[in-house]
Each structure stands twice: as C-alpha cells, then as structure tokens.
Short mmCIF file of all heavy atoms in Angstrom, two decimals:
data_model
loop_
_atom_site.label_atom_id
_atom_site.label_comp_id
_atom_site.label_asym_id
_atom_site.label_seq_id
_atom_site.Cartn_x
_atom_site.Cartn_y
_atom_site.Cartn_z
N LEU B 1 4.72 0.38 14.72
CA LEU B 1 5.22 -0.36 13.64
C LEU B 1 5.73 0.62 12.52
O LEU B 1 5.09 1.68 12.28
CB LEU B 1 4.19 -1.29 13.00
CG LEU B 1 3.64 -2.33 13.96
CD1 LEU B 1 2.47 -3.05 13.29
CD2 LEU B 1 4.70 -3.32 14.38
N THR B 2 6.78 0.27 11.84
CA THR B 2 7.34 1.12 10.80
C THR B 2 7.21 0.42 9.45
O THR B 2 7.94 0.75 8.51
CB THR B 2 8.78 1.46 11.07
OG1 THR B 2 9.53 0.29 11.21
CG2 THR B 2 8.90 2.34 12.33
N CYS B 3 6.25 -0.50 9.28
CA CYS B 3 6.14 -1.30 8.09
C CYS B 3 5.46 -0.49 7.03
O CYS B 3 4.90 0.59 7.25
CB CYS B 3 5.36 -2.57 8.41
SG CYS B 3 3.76 -2.27 9.05
N ALA B 4 5.40 -1.10 5.79
CA ALA B 4 4.75 -0.49 4.64
C ALA B 4 3.25 -0.55 4.82
O ALA B 4 2.70 -1.39 5.50
CB ALA B 4 5.20 -1.19 3.35
N ILE B 5 2.61 0.41 4.18
CA ILE B 5 1.13 0.52 4.17
C ILE B 5 0.62 0.34 2.74
O ILE B 5 1.09 0.93 1.80
CB ILE B 5 0.64 1.89 4.71
CG1 ILE B 5 1.18 2.14 6.09
CG2 ILE B 5 -0.85 1.99 4.68
CD1 ILE B 5 0.78 1.19 7.14
N TYR B 6 -0.45 -0.57 2.63
CA TYR B 6 -0.97 -0.84 1.31
C TYR B 6 -2.51 -0.89 1.36
O TYR B 6 -3.09 -1.06 2.42
CB TYR B 6 -0.50 -2.16 0.80
CG TYR B 6 0.94 -2.30 0.47
CD1 TYR B 6 1.87 -2.69 1.47
CD2 TYR B 6 1.42 -2.01 -0.78
CE1 TYR B 6 3.24 -2.75 1.17
CE2 TYR B 6 2.82 -2.10 -1.06
CZ TYR B 6 3.66 -2.45 -0.09
OH TYR B 6 5.05 -2.58 -0.39
N THR B 7 -3.12 -0.80 0.17
CA THR B 7 -4.55 -1.06 0.08
C THR B 7 -4.85 -2.29 -0.86
O THR B 7 -6.02 -2.65 -0.95
CB THR B 7 -5.34 0.18 -0.57
OG1 THR B 7 -4.73 0.43 -1.83
CG2 THR B 7 -5.20 1.38 0.37
N ASP B 8 -3.84 -2.95 -1.27
CA ASP B 8 -3.98 -4.10 -2.14
C ASP B 8 -3.07 -5.23 -1.61
O ASP B 8 -1.85 -5.10 -1.52
CB ASP B 8 -3.54 -3.81 -3.58
CG ASP B 8 -3.72 -4.99 -4.50
OD1 ASP B 8 -4.84 -5.22 -4.88
OD2 ASP B 8 -2.70 -5.72 -4.76
N VAL B 9 -3.67 -6.40 -1.30
CA VAL B 9 -2.96 -7.46 -0.63
C VAL B 9 -1.89 -8.09 -1.63
O VAL B 9 -0.75 -8.42 -1.17
CB VAL B 9 -3.92 -8.51 -0.14
CG1 VAL B 9 -4.78 -9.19 -1.23
CG2 VAL B 9 -3.13 -9.66 0.66
N GLU B 10 -2.17 -8.27 -2.87
CA GLU B 10 -1.26 -8.84 -3.81
C GLU B 10 -0.01 -7.98 -3.99
O GLU B 10 1.12 -8.47 -3.96
CB GLU B 10 -1.95 -9.15 -5.16
CG GLU B 10 -3.09 -10.18 -5.00
CD GLU B 10 -3.58 -10.60 -6.37
OE1 GLU B 10 -2.77 -10.85 -7.27
OE2 GLU B 10 -4.80 -10.63 -6.53
N GLN B 11 -0.22 -6.69 -4.12
CA GLN B 11 0.92 -5.76 -4.16
C GLN B 11 1.78 -5.83 -2.96
O GLN B 11 3.00 -5.82 -3.01
CB GLN B 11 0.41 -4.34 -4.41
CG GLN B 11 1.57 -3.36 -4.57
CD GLN B 11 1.06 -1.91 -4.68
OE1 GLN B 11 -0.11 -1.63 -4.56
NE2 GLN B 11 1.94 -0.96 -4.91
N ALA B 12 1.11 -5.93 -1.74
CA ALA B 12 1.86 -5.95 -0.49
C ALA B 12 2.74 -7.21 -0.45
O ALA B 12 3.93 -7.19 -0.04
CB ALA B 12 0.87 -5.95 0.65
N ILE B 13 2.12 -8.36 -0.87
CA ILE B 13 2.91 -9.57 -0.87
C ILE B 13 4.11 -9.53 -1.80
O ILE B 13 5.29 -9.85 -1.46
CB ILE B 13 2.03 -10.80 -1.21
CG1 ILE B 13 0.99 -11.04 -0.16
CG2 ILE B 13 2.90 -12.07 -1.43
CD1 ILE B 13 -0.11 -12.02 -0.60
N GLN B 14 3.88 -9.10 -3.02
CA GLN B 14 4.95 -8.99 -4.03
C GLN B 14 6.07 -8.09 -3.66
O GLN B 14 7.23 -8.38 -3.92
CB GLN B 14 4.32 -8.67 -5.38
CG GLN B 14 3.35 -9.68 -5.97
CD GLN B 14 2.64 -9.19 -7.24
OE1 GLN B 14 2.31 -8.03 -7.29
NE2 GLN B 14 2.22 -10.11 -8.08
N GLU B 15 5.73 -6.93 -3.16
CA GLU B 15 6.74 -5.88 -2.86
C GLU B 15 7.51 -6.14 -1.55
O GLU B 15 8.55 -5.59 -1.34
CB GLU B 15 6.11 -4.53 -2.91
CG GLU B 15 5.61 -4.14 -4.27
CD GLU B 15 5.09 -2.70 -4.38
OE1 GLU B 15 5.18 -1.95 -3.36
OE2 GLU B 15 4.65 -2.32 -5.50
N THR B 16 6.96 -6.96 -0.63
CA THR B 16 7.66 -7.08 0.65
C THR B 16 8.29 -8.48 0.76
O THR B 16 9.01 -8.74 1.73
CB THR B 16 6.63 -6.96 1.81
OG1 THR B 16 5.62 -7.99 1.68
CG2 THR B 16 6.00 -5.60 1.81
N GLY B 17 8.03 -9.42 -0.13
CA GLY B 17 8.57 -10.75 -0.02
C GLY B 17 7.97 -11.51 1.10
O GLY B 17 8.60 -12.36 1.68
N ALA B 18 6.69 -11.26 1.48
CA ALA B 18 5.99 -11.92 2.54
C ALA B 18 5.83 -13.40 2.27
O ALA B 18 5.70 -13.86 1.13
CB ALA B 18 4.64 -11.30 2.81
N ASN B 19 5.84 -14.20 3.34
CA ASN B 19 5.52 -15.61 3.22
C ASN B 19 4.35 -16.05 4.13
O ASN B 19 4.00 -17.20 4.19
CB ASN B 19 6.77 -16.43 3.51
CG ASN B 19 7.34 -16.17 4.91
OD1 ASN B 19 6.80 -15.51 5.75
ND2 ASN B 19 8.50 -16.76 5.18
N LEU B 20 3.76 -15.05 4.85
CA LEU B 20 2.69 -15.38 5.73
C LEU B 20 1.66 -14.23 5.73
O LEU B 20 2.11 -13.09 5.84
CB LEU B 20 3.13 -15.68 7.18
CG LEU B 20 2.03 -15.99 8.23
CD1 LEU B 20 1.26 -17.17 7.86
CD2 LEU B 20 2.71 -16.15 9.58
N VAL B 21 0.42 -14.51 5.50
CA VAL B 21 -0.65 -13.45 5.54
C VAL B 21 -1.63 -13.75 6.64
O VAL B 21 -2.01 -14.89 6.84
CB VAL B 21 -1.39 -13.43 4.18
CG1 VAL B 21 -2.64 -12.57 4.27
CG2 VAL B 21 -0.53 -12.92 3.09
N MET B 22 -1.92 -12.73 7.46
CA MET B 22 -2.94 -12.80 8.48
C MET B 22 -4.20 -12.09 8.01
O MET B 22 -4.14 -10.85 7.81
CB MET B 22 -2.46 -12.17 9.83
CG MET B 22 -1.29 -12.97 10.44
SD MET B 22 -0.76 -12.32 12.04
CE MET B 22 0.30 -13.58 12.57
N ASP B 23 -5.23 -12.87 7.75
CA ASP B 23 -6.50 -12.34 7.19
C ASP B 23 -7.44 -12.06 8.30
O ASP B 23 -8.09 -12.94 8.86
CB ASP B 23 -7.06 -13.36 6.23
CG ASP B 23 -8.43 -12.92 5.65
OD1 ASP B 23 -8.79 -11.73 5.81
OD2 ASP B 23 -9.06 -13.74 5.02
N ILE B 24 -7.68 -10.76 8.67
CA ILE B 24 -8.50 -10.37 9.72
C ILE B 24 -9.59 -9.48 9.19
O ILE B 24 -10.03 -8.45 9.81
CB ILE B 24 -7.70 -9.69 10.91
CG1 ILE B 24 -6.33 -10.40 11.04
CG2 ILE B 24 -8.47 -9.72 12.19
CD1 ILE B 24 -5.36 -9.64 11.92
N THR B 25 -10.03 -9.79 8.01
CA THR B 25 -11.06 -9.01 7.32
C THR B 25 -12.44 -9.57 7.61
O THR B 25 -12.59 -10.54 8.43
CB THR B 25 -10.87 -9.08 5.81
OG1 THR B 25 -10.95 -10.43 5.36
CG2 THR B 25 -9.50 -8.51 5.40
N ILE B 26 -13.51 -9.00 7.04
CA ILE B 26 -14.81 -9.52 7.18
C ILE B 26 -15.04 -10.81 6.44
O ILE B 26 -14.29 -11.03 5.48
CB ILE B 26 -15.90 -8.40 6.80
CG1 ILE B 26 -15.71 -8.05 5.30
CG2 ILE B 26 -15.75 -7.17 7.69
CD1 ILE B 26 -16.73 -7.10 4.81
N PRO B 27 -16.01 -11.63 6.79
CA PRO B 27 -16.09 -12.93 6.15
C PRO B 27 -16.27 -12.90 4.65
O PRO B 27 -15.71 -13.72 3.93
CB PRO B 27 -17.33 -13.54 6.84
CG PRO B 27 -17.40 -12.92 8.17
CD PRO B 27 -16.84 -11.54 7.99
N SER B 28 -16.93 -11.91 4.11
CA SER B 28 -17.14 -11.78 2.68
C SER B 28 -15.82 -11.54 1.91
O SER B 28 -15.77 -11.76 0.70
CB SER B 28 -18.13 -10.68 2.35
OG SER B 28 -17.71 -9.43 2.77
N SER B 29 -14.70 -11.12 2.62
CA SER B 29 -13.47 -10.83 1.99
C SER B 29 -12.49 -11.98 2.11
O SER B 29 -11.42 -12.00 1.49
CB SER B 29 -12.84 -9.57 2.59
OG SER B 29 -13.66 -8.44 2.39
N HIS B 30 -12.82 -13.03 2.97
CA HIS B 30 -11.87 -14.02 3.23
C HIS B 30 -11.42 -14.85 2.01
O HIS B 30 -10.30 -15.17 1.86
CB HIS B 30 -12.43 -15.04 4.29
CG HIS B 30 -12.49 -14.41 5.65
ND1 HIS B 30 -13.06 -15.07 6.78
CD2 HIS B 30 -12.11 -13.22 6.14
CE1 HIS B 30 -12.97 -14.30 7.79
NE2 HIS B 30 -12.40 -13.18 7.48
N HIS B 31 -12.36 -15.16 1.14
CA HIS B 31 -12.05 -15.96 -0.04
C HIS B 31 -10.98 -15.21 -0.92
O HIS B 31 -10.02 -15.78 -1.33
CB HIS B 31 -13.30 -16.28 -0.84
CG HIS B 31 -13.03 -17.07 -2.10
ND1 HIS B 31 -12.88 -16.43 -3.36
CD2 HIS B 31 -12.84 -18.39 -2.31
CE1 HIS B 31 -12.68 -17.37 -4.20
NE2 HIS B 31 -12.63 -18.55 -3.70
N HIS B 32 -11.22 -13.95 -1.19
CA HIS B 32 -10.27 -13.21 -2.03
C HIS B 32 -8.94 -13.06 -1.34
O HIS B 32 -7.94 -13.32 -2.02
CB HIS B 32 -10.94 -11.78 -2.27
CG HIS B 32 -9.87 -10.85 -2.90
ND1 HIS B 32 -9.42 -11.04 -4.18
CD2 HIS B 32 -9.22 -9.74 -2.35
CE1 HIS B 32 -8.49 -10.07 -4.47
NE2 HIS B 32 -8.39 -9.31 -3.37
N VAL B 33 -8.89 -12.67 -0.12
CA VAL B 33 -7.66 -12.51 0.59
C VAL B 33 -6.87 -13.80 0.66
O VAL B 33 -5.65 -13.90 0.37
CB VAL B 33 -7.85 -11.89 1.99
CG1 VAL B 33 -6.53 -11.86 2.74
CG2 VAL B 33 -8.43 -10.48 1.88
N CYS B 34 -7.57 -14.85 1.07
CA CYS B 34 -6.87 -16.16 1.27
C CYS B 34 -6.38 -16.72 -0.08
O CYS B 34 -5.23 -17.18 -0.15
CB CYS B 34 -7.83 -17.12 1.99
SG CYS B 34 -7.11 -18.63 2.44
N THR B 35 -7.17 -16.74 -1.11
CA THR B 35 -6.76 -17.33 -2.33
C THR B 35 -5.65 -16.48 -2.96
O THR B 35 -4.74 -17.04 -3.56
CB THR B 35 -7.97 -17.50 -3.31
OG1 THR B 35 -8.56 -16.17 -3.52
CG2 THR B 35 -8.99 -18.49 -2.78
N SER B 36 -5.69 -15.14 -2.78
CA SER B 36 -4.64 -14.32 -3.31
C SER B 36 -3.34 -14.69 -2.64
O SER B 36 -2.30 -14.89 -3.27
CB SER B 36 -4.91 -12.83 -3.10
OG SER B 36 -6.06 -12.45 -3.84
N ALA B 37 -3.33 -14.87 -1.32
CA ALA B 37 -2.18 -15.24 -0.56
C ALA B 37 -1.62 -16.57 -0.94
O ALA B 37 -0.45 -16.76 -1.20
CB ALA B 37 -2.49 -15.13 0.92
#
C-alpha cells in the first residue's frame, strides 16, 4: 500500500476525505475511534 500513515484518526479522516473507517483496535479504544469517525 502507498497510502498515508497517521497516528491520529481524526487527522487521517480530515486530510484524506475518508468516508469509511475500519476500527481494528483493542476493545478499550473502540468508543473513541468509532465516535470520532
């Protein structure tokens, strides 16, 4: 893959124009990732 690399999900969404997020994190992170998306 030649896609961009990020450490922050909100920045990744905003800068790439994403419309779908795949959350494959640990359960304790699901709420933050999902609600941010």
Side-chain angles (χ1 to χ4, degrees):
L1 301 174
T2 57
C3 59
I5 302 298
Y6 294 90
T7 57
D8 181 82
V9 62
E10 296 188 46
Q11 182 184 4
I13 293 168
Q14 292 170 334
E15 294 186 1
T16 63
N19 58 8
L20 177 61
V21 169
M22 292 185 173
D23 177 11
I24 322 169
T25 60
I26 60 175
S28 60
S29 297
H30 288 177
H31 179 263
H32 169 69
V33 172
C34 187
T35 55
S36 297

